[in-house]
């Protein structure tokens, strides 16, 4: 069973981060929220693996 | 011309019970002549269990109400001898379309599996369903079966003791008493019997109102289920269009929570909504309209001593998914054969505890699915609406999120996994027919598998030997011997054998699988039958 990869896995992280901010540029809060929701759904579908998705949800929901 | 639901079909008639010196005792009294009460009474009477149905009204359901009947309930109605008129009258549909705002997001096809006698769904007004059930009651009466239908008879009081219940029935001639070994309350979501017994009915309230308008119109819309999220003609809300027989169309508008009911029900306001939705040029007649709210809730248990609860009296769901009447018919299906065994003294009273276990399981599944649909249709928070809209937005362009679009997960029968009545399973056989599952129809020589199963226990053998003649095990167990040699399209093999070379299925009278093996073993079958009978 695959588990959530929490090691660094994106090449050129600065470029990814900049691209993430760029698609939100000029959007209202509501538009950005909608974009984030679409992004989450597309990525979740790409991952598909229910175990990984549950772990990601738990990891994201966790507060120190 | 008066509508079928305006004609008294079982008007009040004085019963000899009203002139009896002491209360007359009946084996089973069913309270409520709706789809569930009538189906249960028919099932009992066909098996020679005397039954009296009492209902405070004398007509079938006012207005269409439930309109969508799924394959499994149609199979149950076939077993009760009245499936044909329903399916002949009903509208068969498979296609659906989902709209968001002004755009069609996608269409779906239920793609019913081949090799079944009955379609996945038909749409049929509840009043027709009830009318055909009443016709069947009359047919059974003509055959001399012990079934009585008393209209204009309202239960005013009920009390119970270890061996039965006492009922006070109110009539136009005043009240009278009867006794019953068993009472089954099929008296709807507002169940007076439940209230009289002081039993709880708790769950989740959904703060929403829906307007149903059933209109008669000549329209060339296709026979499809159309569902709108947030359409221009009903901003921020949803809407549904679905066809019924006789050119009656079900139109359902979500209204939200804070509304003025009387104002919304005014014909001119309904007219304004209909024209905004369908265009100014439509001509129609309003057949029935109603505003409903709903809850998802159930009783803690469906058996309370000598009183059993079935259908909406026991559990209530949102209408999305057509899980109300469909699950009620499955309650009746589950209960009738158990009452029969108990009345005949063949099973202990504890067999009825399995009715509670199995149908609570079914109700929980329906409540879960129907609550999830409702959460999608009516998002309860800002973030929930953001995700809902994102799913709809993406679904227009990508297949990825379409399975998440939830305008109602349509009723499918439940599998009684973990039921105390389940016997051994055989691991190499298909999962869909494991113990607890409803049987799956298949073409067999001369017709359909379901037409070969009646309301008895059956031992279905596929390419398997049994002693001849097979004993009836004291409950009229019948053998149905089939062979893969007569299975040209491989349905039997695919649905019942899987990797097994032969199969022996013990089938309950409600056509659920009790146990299965690769080969016949006398001791194993006897033990499984005893278990399925609650012994």
């Amino acid at each position: 069973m695959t588990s959530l990869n929490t090691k660094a896995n994106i090449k050129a992280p600065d470029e990814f981060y900049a691209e993430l901010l760029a698609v939100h540029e000029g959007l209202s809060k509501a538009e950005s929220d909608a974009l984030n929701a679409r992004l989450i759904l597309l990525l979740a579908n790409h991952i598909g693996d229910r175990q990984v998705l549950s772990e990601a949800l738990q990891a994201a929901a966790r507060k120190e | 011309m008066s509508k079928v639901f305006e004609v008294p079909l079982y008007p009040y008639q004085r019963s000899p019970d009203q002139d009896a010196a002491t209360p007359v005792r009946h084996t089973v009294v069913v309270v409520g002549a709706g789809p569930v009460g009538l189906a249960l009474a028919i099932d009992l009477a066909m098996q020679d269990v005397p039954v009296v149905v009492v209902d405070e009204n004398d007509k079938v359901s006012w207005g269409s109400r439930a309109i969508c009947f799924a394959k499994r309930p149609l199979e149950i109605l076939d077993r009760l001898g009245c499936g044909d008129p329903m399916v002949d009258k009903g509208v068969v549909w498979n296609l659906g379309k989902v709209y968001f705002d002004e755009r069609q997001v996608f269409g779906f096809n239920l793609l019913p599996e081949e090799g079944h006698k009955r379609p996945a769904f038909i749409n049929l007004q509840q009043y027709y369903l009830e009318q055909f059930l009443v016709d069947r009651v009359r047919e059974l009466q003509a055959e001399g079966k012990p079934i009585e239908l008393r209209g204009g008879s309202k239960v005013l009081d009920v009390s119970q003791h270890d061996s039965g219940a006492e009922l006070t029935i109110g009539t136009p001639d005043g009240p009278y008493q009867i006794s019953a070994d068993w009472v089954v309350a099929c008296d709807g979501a507002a169940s007076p019997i439940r209230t009289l017994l002081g039993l709880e009915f708790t769950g989740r309230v959904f703060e929403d109102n829906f307007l149903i308008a059933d209109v008669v119109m000549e329209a060339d819309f296709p026979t499809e289920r159309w569902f709108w999220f947030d359409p221009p003609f009903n901003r921020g809300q949803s809407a549904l269009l679905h066809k019924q027989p006789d050119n009656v169309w079900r139109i359902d508008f979500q209204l939200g929570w804070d509304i003025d009911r009387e104002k919304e029900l005014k014909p001119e306001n309904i007219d304004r909504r209909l024209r905004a939705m369908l265009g100014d040029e439509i001509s129609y007649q309003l057949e029935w309209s109603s505003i409903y709210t709903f809850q998802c809730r159930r009783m803690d248990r469906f058996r309370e001593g000598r009183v059993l609860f079935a259908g909406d009296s026991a559990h209530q769901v949102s209408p999305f998914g057509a899980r109300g009447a469909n699950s009620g018919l499955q309650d009746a299906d589950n209960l009738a054969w158990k009452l029969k065994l108990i009345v005949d003294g063949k099973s202990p009273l504890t067999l009825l505890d399995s009715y509670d276990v199995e149908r609570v399981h079914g109700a929980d599944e329906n409540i879960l699915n129907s609550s999830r649909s409702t959460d999608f249709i009516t998002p309860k928070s800002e973030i929930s609406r953001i995700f809902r809209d994102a799913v709809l937005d993406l679904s227009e362009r990508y297949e990825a999120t379409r399975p998440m679009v939830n305008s109602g997960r349509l009723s499918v029968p439940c599998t009684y996994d973990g039921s105390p009545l389940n016997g051994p399973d055989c691991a190499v056989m298909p999962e869909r027919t494991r113990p607890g599952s409803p049987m799956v129809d298949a073409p067999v020589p001369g017709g359909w598998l379901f037409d070969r199963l009646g309301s008895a226990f059956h031992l279905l053998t596929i390419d398997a030997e049994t002693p001849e003649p097979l004993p009836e095990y004291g409950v009229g167990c019948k053998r149905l011997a089939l062979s893969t040699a007569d299975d040209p399209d491989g349905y039997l093999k695919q649905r019942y054998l899987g990797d097994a070379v032969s199969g022996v299925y013990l089938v309950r009278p409600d056509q659920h699988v009790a146990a299965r093996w690769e080969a016949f073993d006398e001791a194993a079958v006897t033990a499984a039958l005893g278990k399925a009978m609650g012994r």
Side-chain angles (χ1 to χ4, degrees):
Chain A
M1 199 183 299
T2 324
S3 62
L4 180 70
N5 182 0
T6 54
K7 302 274 189 269
N9 191 38
I10 296 177
K11 290 188 186 83
D14 289 349
E15 272 88 59
F16 165 70
Y17 194 77
E19 197 178 340
L20 179 64
L21 292 189
V23 293
H24 282 279
E25 212 160 318
L27 298 188
S28 67
K29 172 79 166 72
E31 289 166 337
S32 271
D33 286 347
L35 189 155
N36 278 339
R38 292 194 295 272
L39 181 63
I40 290 167
L41 291 167
L42 284 173
L43 294 177
N45 179 68
H46 181 83
I47 294 163
D49 187 319
R50 284 291 287 108
Q51 172 72 23
V52 173
L53 290 172
S54 291
E55 284 181 32
L57 287 167
Q58 291 313 312
R62 188 175 149 197
K63 286 183 185 143
E64 293 308 323
Chain B
M1 196 184 83
S2 53
K3 298 276 179 193
V4 56
F5 55 91
E6 292 167 342
V7 182
L9 280 189
Y10 39 94
Y12 167 73
Q13 283 179 316
R14 200 174 169 84
S15 154
D17 287 8
Q18 286 162 268
D19 302 312
T22 54
V24 174
R25 187 159 185 125
H26 296 279
T27 309
V28 180
V29 171
V30 170
V31 183
V36 181
L38 289 171
L40 177 67
I42 289 167
D43 208 346
L44 290 169
M46 283 174 69
Q47 301 177 64
D48 298 304
V49 177
V51 58
V52 174
V53 184
V54 294
D55 194 290
E56 60 178 304
N57 296 314
D58 56 8
K59 302 177 188 70
V60 293
S61 141
W62 186 262
S64 320
R65 300 172 69 187
I67 59 159
C68 210
F69 294 91
K71 185 165 75 70
R72 179 62 201 144
L74 294 177
E75 290 162 354
I76 294 169
L77 294 165
D78 275 338
R79 185 173 62 75
L80 300 181
C82 50
D84 283 339
M86 316 267 183
V87 177
D88 291 347
K89 181 76 192 173
V91 171
V92 176
W93 65 276
N94 291 309
L95 298 171
K97 282 187 186 137
V98 174
Y99 296 85
F100 178 39
D101 198 345
E102 298 190 21
R103 313 176 315 269
Q104 182 185 323
V105 175
F106 71 102
F108 63 84
N109 187 339
L110 293 176
L111 279 179
E113 193 185 49
E114 294 293 312
H116 292 264
K117 179 178 182 184
R118 292 310 186 192
F121 279 94
I122 62 164
N123 283 0
L124 182 71
Q125 293 92 325
Q126 183 172 333
Y127 50 75
Y128 279 128
L129 182 103
E130 290 182 18
Q131 186 195 4
F132 297 141
L133 287 169
V134 172
D135 289 348
R136 180 68 179 136
V137 168
R138 300 300 179 216
E139 221 174 83
L140 290 169
Q141 286 172 329
E143 290 167 21
K145 292 291 186 184
I147 183 168
E148 241 192 277
L149 180 50
R150 297 185 187 173
S153 304
K154 178 184 169 67
V155 176
L156 301 176
D157 199 18
V158 59
S159 64
Q160 58 169 325
H161 42 83
D162 283 351
S163 60
E166 310 301 322
L167 297 152
T168 306
I169 312 290
T171 74
D173 290 334
Y176 68 102
Q177 311 279 322
I178 49 171
S179 301
D181 294 345
W182 298 98
V183 174
V184 189
C186 307
D187 51 351
S191 171
I193 297 285
R194 197 184 59 228
T195 310
L196 288 166
L197 292 172
L199 300 169
E200 298 262 324
F201 196 39
T202 51
R204 190 170 156 205
V205 183
F206 290 84
E207 295 197 337
D208 218 334
N209 290 281
F210 291 82
L211 169 71
I212 291 180
D214 276 347
V215 303
V216 185
M217 63 179 173
E218 299 285 343
D220 47 10
F221 307 123
T223 306
E224 299 175 352
R225 179 184 193 264
W226 289 0
F227 197 97
W228 287 263
F229 292 97
D230 196 12
F233 59 83
N234 197 22
R235 251 326 150 202
Q237 310 289 354
S238 64
L240 171 79
L241 176 74
H242 217 173
K243 190 179 188 179
Q244 305 168 52
D246 305 339
N247 287 320
V248 175
W249 295 79
R250 161 66 51 89
I251 298 166
D252 197 322
F253 295 101
Q254 188 184 10
L255 301 179
W257 187 232
D258 288 313
I259 59 149
D260 180 342
R261 288 175 75 95
E262 282 185 23
K263 189 179 137 211
E264 292 292 350
L265 280 169
K266 283 187 179 159
E268 62 267 30
N269 284 323
I270 294 176
D271 183 72
R272 182 182 48 77
R273 287 185 175 280
L274 289 171
R275 292 190 188 282
M277 178 181 185
L278 301 168
D280 274 330
E281 64 283 3
I282 56 159
S283 87
Y284 69 91
Q285 268 183 298
L286 187 61
E287 176 173 91
W288 178 65
S289 66
S290 165
I291 286 184
Y292 65 90
T293 59
F294 57 81
Q295 303 193 15
C296 286
R297 53 183 175 170
R298 70 163 168 88
M299 297 179 71
D300 289 339
R301 49 181 189 273
F302 297 170
R303 179 190 168 198
E304 193 66 35
R306 289 282 172 152
V307 182
L308 297 129
F309 292 83
D312 284 357
S313 72
H315 45 77
Q316 204 187 352
V317 294
S318 86
F320 301 104
R323 289 167 180 267
N326 282 312
S327 69
L329 289 168
Q330 290 166 74
D331 290 346
D333 184 47
N334 189 287
L335 183 54
W337 66 274
K338 293 175 182 175
L339 277 175
K340 160 76 176 166
L341 285 174
I342 285 165
V343 167
D344 288 354
K346 289 180 176 163
S347 287
L349 300 191
T350 49
L351 175 61
L352 287 177
D353 294 335
S354 73
Y355 167 71
D356 182 67
V357 170
E358 293 182 338
R359 295 312 300 161
V360 162
H361 179 72
D364 284 346
E365 204 170 277
N366 287 322
I367 287 172
L368 179 71
N369 277 292
S370 131
S371 300
R372 285 175 173 170
S373 301
T374 307
D375 286 338
F376 193 88
I377 292 164
T378 312
K380 299 297 181 297
S381 66
E382 190 191 354
I383 191 68
S384 149
R385 180 172 293 272
I386 288 168
F387 274 115
R388 197 282 303 269
D389 290 354
V391 166
L392 291 169
D393 263 331
L394 289 170
S395 297
E396 192 181 356
R397 287 166 62 199
Y398 306 110
E399 191 264 332
T401 47
R402 286 176 198 166
M404 289 182 214
V405 173
N406 192 342
S407 66
R409 296 279 179 245
L410 294 167
S411 175
V412 286
C414 107
T415 294
Y416 304 132
D417 282 321
S419 165
L421 307 188
N422 289 354
D425 191 10
C426 173
V428 294
M429 289 180 176
E431 197 192 350
R432 69 189 291 187
T433 40
R434 66 190 182 276
S437 311
M439 293 287 282
V440 179
D441 205 2
V444 296
W448 296 94
L449 175 55
F450 275 117
D451 290 339
R452 306 279 295 274
L453 299 167
S455 304
F457 276 103
H458 275 80
L459 204 63
L460 165 68
T461 60
I462 303 170
D463 298 336
E465 297 301 318
T466 68
E468 291 286 354
L470 193 70
E472 290 193 352
Y473 300 95
V475 288
C477 183
K478 295 177 182 165
R479 179 179 177 192
L480 175 58
L482 298 174
S483 167
T484 50
D486 304 318
D487 183 32
D489 298 311
Y491 290 118
L492 269 185
K493 177 166 173 46
Q494 180 195 62
R495 292 170 187 178
Y496 289 95
L497 293 185
D499 293 330
V501 292
S502 60
V504 174
Y505 277 74
L506 178 63
V507 184
R508 305 177 357 175
D510 60 2
Q511 303 170 340
H512 277 251
V513 176
R516 59 182 183 176
W517 307 266
E518 231 174 330
F520 178 82
D521 177 292
E522 173 81 47
V525 169
T526 307
L529 190 65
K531 197 167 188 226
M533 291 170 68
R535 293 202 292 223

